Amino acid sequence: MKKLLSFIAEIGTIMYVGGILSHIVIGAINAHPTPETAALIYDYKLQSAYILILPGLGLKILIDLILFFGFNERAWWMRIKLAMTAFLTINAFVFLVPMMPQLLDLAQASIPEGALSEAFITLENREKLVGMSNVIPLITEMLMGAFKPRISKAERAQSAGVA
């Protein structure tokens, strides 16, 4: 059962990280978009958030909670992983997901003027900062899940006694 859960968690990670990376790439290759291109980019970002990022994050949360409560996985790596996932979840649902439709609307509203509005540029810069704030928690969460380090002295002692 744990192997199946690990597999599902891997799928969640692929969906989540893959969606994020696609957001970074589409933004990088269109660094100074026209309003029409910005509208297309943010439509893509919104849809990929709903199709890849949020379901991937949901799978990761579900599996971690099953491991924590169902399999009594209470090692420090899991606690840190859950804390990082909580940070990522709050950033996603409080900041990033609400910004996507707003950015799309602002880009579409800028089309008649032929230039992106100041409101769009300000909100896009905020979205980039919030997105960047996810880097360290995401890497930490992934490292904890992949390597499951023995962090506490008791965990290291228990590991040494088993080996």
Side-chain angles (χ1 to χ4, degrees):
M1 181 64 164
K2 271 190 160 182
K3 286 204 181 272
L4 177 61
L5 292 174
S6 292
F7 178 71
I8 294 169
E10 288 295 325
I11 292 171
T13 299
I14 291 165
M15 292 171 66
Y16 181 69
V17 175
I20 291 169
L21 291 174
S22 74
H23 280 213
I24 293 167
V25 170
I26 196 167
I29 63 173
N30 295 290
H32 303 288
T34 63
E36 294 85 358
T37 304
L40 184 63
I41 289 169
Y42 279 94
D43 184 44
Y44 167 81
K45 285 185 173 188
L46 180 63
Q47 297 308 315
S48 73
Y50 292 149
I51 294 167
L52 290 172
I53 296 172
L54 296 178
L57 181 59
L59 283 174
K60 292 169 71 57
I61 292 167
L62 177 66
I63 299 306
D64 286 351
L65 291 175
I66 289 170
L67 290 171
F68 190 80
F69 292 110
F71 287 89
N72 206 30
E73 181 58 71
R74 302 297 162 89
W76 274 100
W77 67 264
M78 177 56 88
R79 295 174 190 185
I80 293 168
K81 189 175 187 315
L82 285 169
M84 297 300 103
T85 302
F87 178 89
L88 295 168
T89 302
I90 291 167
N91 252 5
F93 285 100
V94 173
F95 299 107
L96 294 171
V97 172
M99 284 182 194
M100 292 292 132
Q102 293 173 355
L103 283 161
L104 177 58
D105 290 345
L106 288 169
Q108 290 171 335
S110 295
I111 292 172
E113 286 81 43
L116 292 168
S117 69
E118 192 60 39
F120 174 89
I121 293 167
T122 300
L123 188 58
E124 185 181 46
N125 287 335
R126 188 175 330 144
E127 184 244 355
K128 288 176 183 176
L129 286 174
V130 174
M132 284 188 277
S133 74
N134 283 338
V135 172
I136 292 172
L138 178 57
I139 290 171
T140 303
E141 185 273 337
M142 290 174 58
L143 288 171
M144 293 297 115
F147 295 104
K148 299 170 180 53
R150 307 284 184 216
I151 295 171
S152 72
K153 193 173 188 177
E155 290 171 346
R156 288 190 303 274
Q158 181 184 19
S159 177
V162 172

Short mmCIF file of all heavy atoms in Angstrom, two decimals, residues 34-36 38-39 103-121:
data_model
loop_
_atom_site.label_atom_id
_atom_site.label_comp_id
_atom_site.label_asym_id
_atom_site.label_seq_id
_atom_site.Cartn_x
_atom_site.Cartn_y
_atom_site.Cartn_z
N THR A 34 2.41 41.58 -25.68
CA THR A 34 1.33 42.52 -26.02
C THR A 34 0.14 42.14 -25.14
O THR A 34 0.10 41.06 -24.56
CB THR A 34 0.94 42.37 -27.50
OG1 THR A 34 0.42 41.05 -27.69
CG2 THR A 34 2.12 42.62 -28.43
N PRO A 35 -0.86 43.00 -25.05
CA PRO A 35 -2.04 42.64 -24.26
C PRO A 35 -2.70 41.34 -24.76
O PRO A 35 -3.14 40.53 -23.95
CB PRO A 35 -2.97 43.84 -24.43
CG PRO A 35 -2.05 44.98 -24.69
CD PRO A 35 -0.92 44.41 -25.49
N GLU A 36 -2.73 41.15 -26.08
CA GLU A 36 -3.33 39.91 -26.62
C GLU A 36 -2.54 38.68 -26.17
O GLU A 36 -3.13 37.67 -25.78
CB GLU A 36 -3.38 39.96 -28.15
CG GLU A 36 -4.29 41.00 -28.74
CD GLU A 36 -3.66 42.39 -28.88
OE1 GLU A 36 -2.48 42.58 -28.48
OE2 GLU A 36 -4.35 43.30 -29.36
N ALA A 38 -0.51 38.52 -23.56
CA ALA A 38 -0.66 38.39 -22.10
C ALA A 38 -1.98 37.72 -21.75
O ALA A 38 -2.03 36.87 -20.85
CB ALA A 38 -0.57 39.77 -21.44
N ALA A 39 -3.04 38.06 -22.48
CA ALA A 39 -4.34 37.41 -22.24
C ALA A 39 -4.25 35.91 -22.54
O ALA A 39 -4.76 35.09 -21.77
CB ALA A 39 -5.43 38.07 -23.07
N LEU A 103 -5.49 38.74 -13.38
CA LEU A 103 -4.49 39.07 -14.42
C LEU A 103 -5.07 38.86 -15.81
O LEU A 103 -4.83 39.67 -16.71
CB LEU A 103 -3.23 38.25 -14.21
CG LEU A 103 -2.33 38.74 -13.07
CD1 LEU A 103 -1.36 37.66 -12.62
CD2 LEU A 103 -1.59 40.01 -13.49
N LEU A 104 -5.82 37.78 -15.99
CA LEU A 104 -6.46 37.54 -17.28
C LEU A 104 -7.42 38.67 -17.62
O LEU A 104 -7.40 39.21 -18.74
CB LEU A 104 -7.18 36.19 -17.28
CG LEU A 104 -7.96 35.82 -18.53
CD1 LEU A 104 -7.07 35.81 -19.76
CD2 LEU A 104 -8.65 34.47 -18.34
N ASP A 105 -8.24 39.07 -16.66
CA ASP A 105 -9.20 40.17 -16.89
C ASP A 105 -8.48 41.48 -17.22
O ASP A 105 -8.88 42.22 -18.13
CB ASP A 105 -10.10 40.38 -15.67
CG ASP A 105 -11.09 39.24 -15.47
OD1 ASP A 105 -11.30 38.44 -16.41
OD2 ASP A 105 -11.65 39.15 -14.35
N LEU A 106 -7.40 41.77 -16.48
CA LEU A 106 -6.65 43.01 -16.72
C LEU A 106 -5.97 42.98 -18.09
O LEU A 106 -5.91 44.02 -18.78
CB LEU A 106 -5.62 43.23 -15.61
CG LEU A 106 -6.18 43.65 -14.26
CD1 LEU A 106 -5.11 43.57 -13.18
CD2 LEU A 106 -6.79 45.05 -14.33
N ALA A 107 -5.46 41.82 -18.49
CA ALA A 107 -4.83 41.72 -19.82
C ALA A 107 -5.88 41.92 -20.90
O ALA A 107 -5.65 42.66 -21.87
CB ALA A 107 -4.16 40.35 -19.97
N GLN A 108 -7.04 41.30 -20.75
CA GLN A 108 -8.11 41.45 -21.75
C GLN A 108 -8.61 42.90 -21.80
O GLN A 108 -8.88 43.42 -22.88
CB GLN A 108 -9.26 40.49 -21.44
CG GLN A 108 -8.90 39.05 -21.70
CD GLN A 108 -9.94 38.07 -21.19
OE1 GLN A 108 -10.70 38.37 -20.27
NE2 GLN A 108 -9.97 36.88 -21.79
N ALA A 109 -8.67 43.54 -20.64
CA ALA A 109 -9.12 44.94 -20.59
C ALA A 109 -8.09 45.88 -21.23
O ALA A 109 -8.44 46.98 -21.66
CB ALA A 109 -9.40 45.36 -19.15
N SER A 110 -6.84 45.45 -21.30
CA SER A 110 -5.77 46.28 -21.89
C SER A 110 -5.73 46.19 -23.41
O SER A 110 -5.07 47.02 -24.05
CB SER A 110 -4.41 45.84 -21.34
OG SER A 110 -4.32 46.08 -19.96
N ILE A 111 -6.41 45.24 -23.99
CA ILE A 111 -6.35 45.03 -25.45
C ILE A 111 -6.78 46.27 -26.23
O ILE A 111 -6.07 46.69 -27.15
CB ILE A 111 -7.13 43.76 -25.87
CG1 ILE A 111 -6.40 42.51 -25.33
CG2 ILE A 111 -7.29 43.69 -27.39
CD1 ILE A 111 -7.16 41.21 -25.51
N PRO A 112 -7.89 46.91 -25.88
CA PRO A 112 -8.29 48.10 -26.67
C PRO A 112 -7.26 49.23 -26.65
O PRO A 112 -7.12 49.95 -27.63
CB PRO A 112 -9.60 48.55 -26.02
CG PRO A 112 -10.14 47.34 -25.35
CD PRO A 112 -8.94 46.55 -24.91
N GLU A 113 -6.53 49.36 -25.52
CA GLU A 113 -5.53 50.42 -25.42
C GLU A 113 -4.24 50.06 -26.15
O GLU A 113 -3.41 50.92 -26.43
CB GLU A 113 -5.21 50.74 -23.96
CG GLU A 113 -6.30 51.52 -23.24
CD GLU A 113 -7.43 50.62 -22.77
OE1 GLU A 113 -7.17 49.53 -22.23
OE2 GLU A 113 -8.60 51.02 -22.94
N GLY A 114 -4.01 48.78 -26.39
CA GLY A 114 -2.80 48.34 -27.10
C GLY A 114 -1.57 48.24 -26.22
O GLY A 114 -0.48 47.96 -26.71
N ALA A 115 -1.72 48.47 -24.92
CA ALA A 115 -0.60 48.36 -23.98
C ALA A 115 -1.14 47.84 -22.65
O ALA A 115 -2.28 48.15 -22.28
CB ALA A 115 0.08 49.70 -23.78
N LEU A 116 -0.32 47.08 -21.97
CA LEU A 116 -0.73 46.53 -20.68
C LEU A 116 -0.87 47.65 -19.66
O LEU A 116 -0.03 48.56 -19.59
CB LEU A 116 0.27 45.49 -20.20
CG LEU A 116 0.29 44.21 -21.04
CD1 LEU A 116 1.51 43.36 -20.70
CD2 LEU A 116 -0.99 43.42 -20.85
N SER A 117 -1.94 47.60 -18.88
CA SER A 117 -2.20 48.64 -17.88
C SER A 117 -1.21 48.57 -16.73
O SER A 117 -0.58 47.54 -16.48
CB SER A 117 -3.63 48.49 -17.35
OG SER A 117 -3.72 47.32 -16.57
N GLU A 118 -1.11 49.67 -16.03
CA GLU A 118 -0.25 49.72 -14.83
C GLU A 118 -0.76 48.73 -13.78
O GLU A 118 0.03 48.12 -13.07
CB GLU A 118 -0.21 51.15 -14.28
CG GLU A 118 0.86 51.36 -13.24
CD GLU A 118 2.28 51.11 -13.74
OE1 GLU A 118 2.60 51.46 -14.88
OE2 GLU A 118 3.07 50.52 -12.98
N ALA A 119 -2.08 48.59 -13.69
CA ALA A 119 -2.65 47.64 -12.73
C ALA A 119 -2.21 46.21 -13.05
O ALA A 119 -1.87 45.44 -12.15
CB ALA A 119 -4.17 47.73 -12.74
N PHE A 120 -2.18 45.87 -14.35
CA PHE A 120 -1.72 44.54 -14.76
C PHE A 120 -0.25 44.35 -14.37
O PHE A 120 0.11 43.33 -13.77
CB PHE A 120 -1.87 44.34 -16.27
CG PHE A 120 -1.28 43.04 -16.76
CD1 PHE A 120 -2.05 41.88 -16.77
CD2 PHE A 120 0.05 42.95 -17.16
CE1 PHE A 120 -1.51 40.67 -17.18
CE2 PHE A 120 0.60 41.75 -17.57
CZ PHE A 120 -0.18 40.61 -17.59
N ILE A 121 0.58 45.32 -14.69
CA ILE A 121 2.02 45.21 -14.42
C ILE A 121 2.28 45.08 -12.92
O ILE A 121 3.08 44.25 -12.48
CB ILE A 121 2.77 46.41 -15.04
CG1 ILE A 121 2.68 46.32 -16.57
CG2 ILE A 121 4.21 46.47 -14.56
CD1 ILE A 121 3.10 47.58 -17.30
#
